[in-house]
């Protein structure tokens, strides 16, 4: 089958190589020129590229199944596999291991494999439209020319919008938070800072969250996830404000101590973050153009602090490949319908989970107390394991995405009891959001132009 994959992010790269290795002729269309050198790749259009990423086992297992040589190269580069308890696995990395690595390094290795794949033809161009004839897709139109194909995979990411006018609008809400992050490298011989999660370290503060993501070869990212509506904290993007925050937040002060580590990136502000879900079908529930399948972030995005995006993307690829292996390509309409139903059942629940938890977090960041008379959101259920460890039997599979969010409903009565007793998740030592804003304001001083507003807003295509 002739396939064109539009978008060479993780979804498109893995999809293209997997299809080529199954004997399909694959054209991979992306305008990005690729890395400038081993440490530099600007990746315009993929805002999150240099922000911290953690790679869950679901994503890593798909990468290992499709392109094991990329995984081996990542290990050789110093990417750290981890098991469910967070420990770095030994020489033999068991299936079901996650990976600590910078996104740039992971994508560079995936791209290297895809560039060397004989069955993948790279076309450096922007796809302008999906073309169709007699009610089915025939390929994509580029600025100069076209690529013919029986199957078009739209892997264009969270904002690109190729052929989006054909399908029903997205369901979308603002995550209520924005990223400011910075990458560092440990100095020779220096030990990493304290860890309390498989990906590194997390500190829940009053009104914001701080996360340290351990990466490859002694690198790590530090993140302040702040309320997106609070414009005072947008100034964290200034070097002086970031330095003040690092000095005041104990977790950051420890990890970023100049005796331990040095920055390897500027301070990186993030763009708007949305939870979005958009199926394959049009407003009337029909396949708009058989032969087109949307995959990856073009179907679902979720609050990135949970680190699910690459996994939900590659699980879609894995499912689509299984359908094609079963001969699903012969009936492109059925292919899209089955993929849509599967995504609705297995991907959309993560989107819905974030709608609820993000709204609740935004309210709590604004000062609202937990209401124990209402069903607890998933994050509250997870926090309650600090009081009752037996809850972990159910919470553990949810945290590792082996069980869908609905699995937590069985715990609601016990969790409500815990919150009704007056217990609340402990807040990390360090400045409150107002104190942090004060430090930021003092560091930046007057006269700095106000950053653009990042008040919550739904994307243009949003239905919600
Ligand atoms: C701030 C942030 C942090 C995140 N952290 C994590 C994390 O810790 N763990 C995790 O698993 N996920 C994380 N994610 C999600 C993860 O980044 C995405 O799920 C992932 O990038 C999806 O891959 P993709 O290939 O579908 O899309 P993308 O990576 O966006 O790639 C899309 C590609 O399509 C190309 N393209 C777009 N339009 C066209 C066109 N018309 N023609 C040709 N090419 C086109 C682009 O150039 C790009 O190469 C994070 C997301 C954000 C926003």
């Amino acid at each position: 089958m002739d396939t064109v994959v539009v978008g060479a992010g993780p979804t498109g790269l893995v999809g293209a190589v997997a299809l080529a290795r199954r004997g399909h002729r694959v054209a991979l269309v992306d305008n990005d020129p690729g890395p400038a050198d081993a440490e530099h790749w600007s990746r315009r259009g993929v805002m999150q590229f240099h922000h911290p990423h953690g790679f869950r086992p679901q994503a890593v297992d798909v990468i290992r199944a499709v392109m094991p040589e990329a995984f081996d190269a990542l290990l050789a580069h110093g990417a750290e596999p981890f098991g469910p308890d967070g420990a770095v696995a030994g020489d033999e990395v068991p299936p079901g291991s996650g990976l600590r690595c910078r996104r740039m390094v992971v994508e560079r290795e995936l791209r290297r494999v895809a560039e060397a794949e004989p069955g993948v033809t790279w076309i450096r161009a922007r796809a302008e439209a999906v073309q169709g004839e007699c009610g089915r897709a025939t390929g994509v139109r580029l600025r100069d020319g076209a690529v013919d194909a029986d199957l078009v995979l739209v892997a264009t990411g969270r904002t690109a919008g190729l052929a989006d006018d054909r399908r029903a609008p997205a369901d979308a809400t603002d995550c209520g938070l924005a990223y400011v992050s910075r990458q560092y490298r440990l100095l020779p011989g220096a030990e990493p800072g304290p860890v309390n999660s498989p990906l590194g370290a997390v500190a829940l503060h009053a009104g914001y969250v701080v996360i340290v993501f351990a990466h490859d070869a002694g690198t790590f990212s530090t993140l302040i996830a702040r309320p997106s509506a609070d414009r005072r904290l947008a100034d964290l993007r200034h070097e002086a404000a970031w330095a003040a925050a690092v000095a005041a937040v104990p977790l950051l002060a420890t990890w970023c101590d100049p005796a331990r580590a040095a920055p390897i990136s500027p301070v990186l502000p993030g763009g708007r973050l949305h939870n979005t879900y958009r199926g394959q079908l049009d407003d009337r529930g029909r396949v708009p153009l058989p032969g087109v399948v949307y995959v990856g972030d073009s179907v679902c995005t979720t609050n990135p602090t949970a680190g699910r995006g690459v996994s939900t993307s590659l699980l879609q690829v894995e499912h689509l490949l299984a359908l094609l292996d079963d001969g699903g390509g012969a009936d492109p309409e059925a292919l899209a319908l089955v993929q849509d139903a599967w995504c609705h059942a297995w991907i959309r629940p993560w989107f819905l989970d974030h709608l609820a938890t993000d709204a609740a977090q935004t309210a709590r960041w604004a000062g609202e107390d937990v209401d124990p008379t209402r069903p607890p959101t998933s994050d509250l259920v997870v926090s309650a394991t600090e009081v009752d460890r037996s809850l972990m039997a159910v919470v553990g599979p949810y945290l590792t995405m082996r069980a869908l969010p609905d699995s937590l409903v069985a715990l609601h009565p016990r969790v409500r009891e815990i919150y009704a007793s007056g217990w609340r998740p402990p807040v990390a030592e360090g400045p409150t959001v107002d104190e942090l804003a004060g430090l930021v304001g003092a560091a930046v001083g007057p006269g700095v132009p106000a950053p653009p507003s990042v008040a919550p807003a739904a994307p243009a295509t949003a239905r919600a």
Side-chain angles (χ1 to χ4, degrees):
M1 189 159 59
D2 285 312
T3 304
V4 57
V5 178
V6 186
T11 306
L13 291 167
V14 172
V17 171
L19 288 165
R21 291 186 176 179
R22 284 162 164 77
H24 300 277
R25 285 175 301 276
V26 182
L28 181 52
V29 179
D30 199 305
N31 203 22
D32 191 279
D37 58 43
E39 291 297 325
H40 298 96
W41 189 357
S42 64
R43 209 69 176 91
R44 289 180 59 198
V46 184
M47 169 281 277
Q48 70 268 36
F49 192 66
H50 293 290
H51 281 297
H53 277 62
F55 297 89
R56 286 172 171 270
Q58 286 81 359
V60 176
D61 282 349
V62 176
I63 291 171
R64 292 177 78 179
V66 171
M67 36 172 103
E69 67 271 54
F71 182 72
D72 292 344
L74 288 168
L75 294 188
H77 179 83
E80 288 187 356
F82 63 88
D85 59 354
V88 177
D91 282 349
E92 283 298 309
V93 182
S97 301
L99 203 62
R100 302 186 192 110
C101 192
R102 282 170 291 168
R103 156 83 184 253
M104 179 186 73
V105 174
V106 170
E107 197 166 314
R108 197 182 61 206
E109 292 311 324
L110 301 183
R111 187 175 172 112
R112 209 195 302 269
V113 172
E115 282 175 344
E117 187 64 32
V120 176
T121 304
W122 280 77
I123 299 174
R124 189 165 158 210
R126 184 171 178 76
E128 298 201 326
V130 172
Q131 294 185 315
E133 213 177 278
C134 301
R136 60 164 297 171
T138 56
V140 294
R141 191 181 75 233
L142 314 175
R143 181 184 287 180
D144 299 312
V147 189
D148 294 336
D150 310 302
L151 178 64
V152 178
L153 296 195
V154 178
T156 47
R158 55 202 287 273
T159 51
L162 182 71
D164 272 351
D165 52 339
R166 294 180 184 269
R167 53 181 177 157
D171 285 328
T173 58
D174 196 285
C175 296
L177 58 82
Y179 268 36
V180 191
S181 75
R182 188 170 208 180
Q183 293 182 359
Y184 291 77
R185 190 187 298 278
L186 291 171
L187 300 179
E191 289 294 319
V195 296
N196 63 6
S197 112
L199 287 174
V202 183
L204 304 178
H205 288 269
Y208 63 102
V209 180
V210 170
I211 309 180
V212 176
F213 291 72
H215 293 318
D216 52 286
T219 60
F220 63 92
S221 285
T222 49
L223 164 69
I224 299 178
R226 63 173 182 87
S228 51
D230 192 335
R231 293 189 65 208
R232 301 170 301 171
L233 292 183
D235 275 336
L236 272 169
R237 71 198 171 127
H238 296 291
E239 187 86 29
W242 179 261
V246 165
V249 173
L251 183 65
L252 296 181
T254 311
W255 271 85
C256 306
D257 183 337
R260 185 193 298 272
I264 55 170
S265 81
V267 182
L268 303 166
R272 286 197 169 130
L273 296 170
H274 295 100
N275 297 305
T276 58
Y277 184 81
R278 194 164 195 176
Q280 308 285 335
L281 309 182
D282 67 14
D283 265 332
R284 291 195 271 176
R286 297 172 316 187
V287 177
L289 189 63
V292 178
V293 180
Y294 302 85
V295 271
D297 268 18
S298 70
V299 170
C300 183
T301 65
T302 49
N303 181 333
T305 54
R308 295 198 169 106
V310 179
S311 291
T312 52
S313 292
L314 296 189
L315 287 172
Q316 293 170 49
V317 173
E318 184 183 52
H319 184 259
L320 182 64
L321 292 170
L323 292 178
L324 292 169
D325 287 348
D326 283 348
D331 183 346
E333 184 162 6
L335 183 74
L337 283 170
V338 176
Q339 180 77 1
D340 189 65
W342 182 86
C343 286
H344 197 86
W346 295 99
I347 301 297
R348 191 165 171 270
W350 297 108
F351 157 75
L352 294 176
D353 196 41
H354 278 290
L355 292 194
T357 52
D358 290 359
Q361 174 173 268
T362 302
R364 289 201 304 277
W365 278 358
E368 212 172 88
D369 191 16
V370 175
D371 179 355
T373 65
R374 300 184 58 196
T377 49
S378 303
D379 58 327
L380 291 177
V381 178
V382 172
S383 294
T385 60
E386 290 190 35
V387 177
D388 183 346
R389 292 303 290 172
S390 74
L391 300 176
M392 273 310 282
V394 177
V395 169
Y398 160 80
L399 283 176
T400 52
M401 287 178 76
R402 285 177 289 118
L404 289 176
D406 262 4
S407 59
L408 299 183
V409 172
L411 303 181
H412 283 184
R414 172 68 184 124
V415 172
R416 284 162 85 155
E417 233 173 67
I418 289 170
Y419 287 98
S421 75
W423 182 86
R424 295 293 178 267
V427 171
E429 215 180 288
T432 64
V433 72
D434 289 333
E435 289 163 347
L436 187 63
L439 290 168
V440 166
V444 172
V448 173
S453 168
V454 286
T461 52
R463 186 187 266 160

